Amino acid sequence: ATQTGNSESCALDPKENLEKRSIESEVINVDNFQPIQFEHNSIALLLLSTWGEGEPPDEALDFYTELQNIEPNSLNSLRFAVFALGDSDYEYFCHFGRQVDKLFAQAGATRLCELLECDLDHDERLPEWTESVLEQIGKIPAAAQVNN
């Protein structure tokens, strides 16, 4: 989810690295995706920006509302990681990423790695996060990495 395009451009790095390891991946904007659809996926990498005073980007408002209402334990088979982009000049730095991370865990999903919050240094921090995520994905049996 992005307002300015930063998280969208960041999403290409993990995708390229996954494909180099022959792991099929797809970049999807959350305005085209409902949280319940994660039930049909085994891994979700979420690159999310926070806008203004802690709000999700405009295109992520519906996704966020639906995620807040998702049933507990409905995402038990999902592994996820959140890369949160923000601007520390704002009081609610990376708030949207923090909220999504918390809501996924409450829905039963398992973290691949801890939430990584990035200020304007997201380009420098992305390789570190991507490598951490790929390391954890490498520990998952191949059969569990494919979509159900």
Side-chain angles (χ1 to χ4, degrees), residues 117-132:
E117 298 175 357
C118 298
D119 202 345
L120 303 176
D121 62 348
H122 55 83
D123 286 333
E124 296 154 20
R125 308 277 314 275
L126 182 60
E128 159 195 344
W129 180 81
T130 300
E131 198 53 46
S132 177

Side-chain angles (χ1 to χ4, degrees), residues 27-95:
V27 174
I28 301 172
N29 193 321
V30 294
D31 75 341
N32 299 318
F33 204 77
Q34 297 175 333
I36 198 71
Q37 290 175 274
F38 284 113
E39 290 179 357
H40 306 292
N41 292 278
S42 57
I43 298 170
L45 307 181
L46 299 134
L47 293 90
L48 306 166
S49 60
T50 296
W51 187 248
E53 292 299 331
E55 299 93 28
D58 293 341
E59 62 194 17
L61 290 171
D62 290 341
F63 173 83
Y64 185 50
T65 299
E66 290 178 28
L67 184 59
Q68 290 171 313
N69 296 312
I70 200 162
E71 294 292 321
N73 300 318
S74 61
L75 300 179
N76 284 343
S77 63
L78 183 71
R79 291 173 176 90
F80 77 102
V82 176
F83 183 83
L85 292 85
D87 183 337
S88 61
D89 288 338
Y90 290 90
E91 180 179 355
Y92 298 103
F93 173 66
C94 290
H95 183 73

